[in-house]
Amino acid sequence: MKLKQRVVLLAILLVIFIFTKVFLIDNLDTSAANREDQRAFQRMLAGLRVALEPRLEHTLQSPWEIAAQWVVPREVYPEDTPELGAVMHAMSTKRIVKADVGYKGTQLKALLILEGGQKVVFKPKRILGFRRAPLVVGRFVNLRTEIKPVATEQLLGTFMTVGNNTCFYGKCYYCRETEPACADGDIMEGSVTLWLPDVWPLQKHRHPWGRTYREGKLARWEYDESYCDAVKKTSPYDSGPRLLDIIDTAIFDYLIGNADRHHYESFQDDEGASMLILLDNAKSFGNPALDERSILAPLYQCCIIRVSTWNRLNYLKNGVLKSALKTAMSHDPISPVLSDPHLDALDQRLLSILATVKQCTDQFGPDVVLVEDRMTLSHL
């Protein structure tokens, strides 16, 4: 079964991080607040299947105008919106009016302009309420009739025919004429990612737990178990939510097998208050039998985690994550999205994350490890 990475990533974000805060440290809390949170969780599960409907009710705005208004410093789309299906439907069906080479990066992509002026990024098939990743939906594209007639000369110059298949290799760091992406005939299966509004410019940061990518040279975090103490003394990790965002992201990356988050983006001029935006997830879902534990280094070296994240992860054990992901991805035009071995691997990795947090609570106590969402590093 082929993998459709970016659709899976959005589904995981929806499943893992869209619920409200739940207190499950020992699974014995029966307070009224917790019972309501459990009901909220069940409502979330019931709403995972997003119908891609073309209608936008009670508004004269275009789907692109609605999506642009969703973006705020801590999320790129709201927790509950009736227009979500219509926006994703537009992403998967609106006419392509222009096609160009993708923006800078290591992976093949094309920048498309859809009817109505909306930018999207198309990535060919290649192999948590964070709401911190742009919307993604699967799409089948006819390269001959939909892309080539509206392609720029720069993109068109990378097209070729291999056998009976239309192919292109685009422009990127690893893009080679000898390794094009090929359609099945003229039809290419891929994902479409909604471009963030221009009024929200991005700022790039080096990830404090990034790898050196130099043979024989380790990053400091790979040999210094007290490395997190140094990180906590540097901006923007010495205050605000950024370090907790880094740890949330490590959990997400471990689940999807992404050991390549060397940089990350936030909104500009945020003074450390905006979210860590999950944009570069291309090197994910490789070998389902391989677990790269070092991805969790921010978690096991800092030994702190948001209470809400801990609770959500607890809710998803015992096969709930696999079941919820299947439901969340079942609506997609390119469903089925992920193979059973990868779904099983997600469930196993979830258990490893829970065990890591338990080791931290056994060593330091839950009062130190489990951090209330309203708290920042300046309170710790």
Side-chain angles (χ1 to χ4, degrees):
M1 184 184 296
K2 302 299 191 296
L3 304 181
K4 295 87 172 182
Q5 285 179 321
R6 298 182 68 83
V7 178
V8 179
L9 301 177
L10 179 65
I12 292 174
L13 288 169
L14 286 168
V15 170
I16 299 179
F17 302 110
I18 204 169
F19 346 128
T20 54
K21 178 178 170 184
V22 184
F23 199 75
L24 281 176
I25 294 175
D26 56 8
N27 293 318
L28 296 176
D29 186 356
T30 58
S31 67
N34 188 51
R35 289 195 298 271
E36 173 54 35
D37 285 334
Q38 292 179 21
R39 288 192 290 268
F41 177 82
Q42 295 302 321
R43 290 195 299 270
M44 182 282 301
L45 289 179
L48 281 177
R49 190 186 299 272
V50 180
L52 273 63
E53 297 288 350
R55 293 178 300 173
L56 275 172
E57 299 180 353
H58 312 302
T59 180
L60 297 178
Q61 292 180 302
S62 73
W64 316 135
E65 291 171 324
I66 291 172
Q69 293 170 359
W70 286 342
V71 182
V72 293
R74 293 295 301 174
E75 62 184 25
V76 295
Y77 54 92
E79 182 174 351
D80 182 24
T81 173
E83 298 90 3
L84 180 61
V87 172
M88 297 181 74
H89 179 272
M91 291 168 62
S92 64
T93 60
K94 285 290 187 181
R95 181 170 59 91
I96 300 166
V97 299
K98 184 178 180 181
D100 200 355
V101 295
Y103 54 87
K104 295 179 181 179
T106 60
Q107 305 296 316
L108 174 62
K109 59 186 76 70
L111 176 62
L112 308 181
I113 308 295
L114 302 184
E115 183 180 3
Q118 178 62 49
K119 294 180 183 179
V120 297
V121 176
F122 177 77
K123 286 198 172 185
K125 175 181 63 182
R126 283 192 174 186
I127 318 311
L128 284 152
F130 272 175
R131 300 187 296 283
R132 298 174 197 164
L135 288 178
V136 182
V137 68
R139 178 164 180 162
F140 290 100
V141 173
N142 188 309
L143 296 183
R144 181 176 58 85
T145 63
E146 293 186 90
I147 300 296
K148 293 184 71 174
V150 297
T152 63
E153 290 186 8
Q154 190 176 21
L155 178 60
L156 198 58
T158 73
F159 272 79
M160 61 177 67
T161 300
V162 178
N164 295 321
N165 301 320
T166 301
C167 310
F168 76 104
Y169 57 90
K171 300 283 185 181
C172 71
Y173 186 81
Y174 291 119
C175 291
R176 302 286 186 272
E177 185 175 353
T178 55
E179 299 177 345
C182 292
D184 183 3
D186 293 322
I187 305 300
M188 177 169 279
E189 176 185 312
S191 63
V192 173
T193 304
L194 194 69
W195 194 273
L196 291 172
D198 292 338
V199 296
W200 291 94
L202 300 180
Q203 179 177 357
K204 194 169 187 176
H205 309 266
R206 183 160 187 83
H207 197 295
W209 276 269
R211 301 172 194 275
T212 65
Y213 298 94
R214 299 177 191 172
E215 188 175 354
K217 182 175 177 59
L218 296 176
R220 178 178 169 183
W221 64 267
E222 293 181 279
Y223 60 83
D224 183 359
E225 287 300 316
S226 64
Y227 174 71
C228 184
D229 293 334
V231 173
K232 289 179 179 179
K233 297 175 183 177
T234 60
S235 178
Y237 312 107
D238 56 347
S239 64
R242 186 63 55 82
L243 182 56
L244 291 169
D245 286 351
I246 289 282
I247 291 167
D248 280 347
T249 303
I251 291 170
F252 172 70
D253 283 339
Y254 179 69
L255 285 170
I256 66 176
N258 177 23
D260 191 46
R261 198 171 296 281
H262 44 82
H263 289 82
Y264 67 87
E265 283 80 18
S266 69
F267 292 129
Q268 280 186 9
D269 303 322
D270 65 340
E271 297 182 351
S274 96
M275 60 187 164
L276 187 160
I277 305 171
L278 301 172
L279 291 180
D280 187 5
N281 309 300
K283 294 182 180 178
S284 308
F285 295 109
N287 184 350
L290 177 63
D291 287 346
E292 182 54 64
R293 178 170 165 76
S294 65
I295 300 172
L296 285 178
L299 174 61
Y300 60 69
Q301 289 183 352
C302 297
C303 266
I304 56 173
I305 184 175
R306 285 186 169 103
V307 170
S308 58
T309 301
W310 168 243
N311 296 336
R312 293 159 189 168
L313 294 171
N314 270 280
Y315 258 134
L316 291 168
K317 61 187 179 182
N318 299 323
V320 176
L321 175 57
K322 177 179 179 178
S323 175
L325 278 172
K326 280 189 170 182
T327 301
M329 295 183 291
S330 63
H331 74 278
D332 197 87
I334 59 174
S335 178
V337 177
L338 198 60
S339 66
D340 280 337
H342 280 89
L343 289 169
D344 292 336
L346 284 162
D347 274 342
Q348 290 302 312
R349 291 170 187 161
L350 173 59
L351 295 179
S352 296
I353 295 167
L354 296 175
T356 300
V357 177
K358 187 176 186 304
Q359 289 174 354
C360 288
T361 56
D362 288 347
Q363 182 176 358
F364 300 107
D367 291 343
V368 172
V369 175
L370 303 174
V371 180
E372 295 286 346
D373 285 34
R374 65 180 180 273
M375 296 180 66
T376 64
L377 267 293
S378 60
H379 294 106
L380 298 181

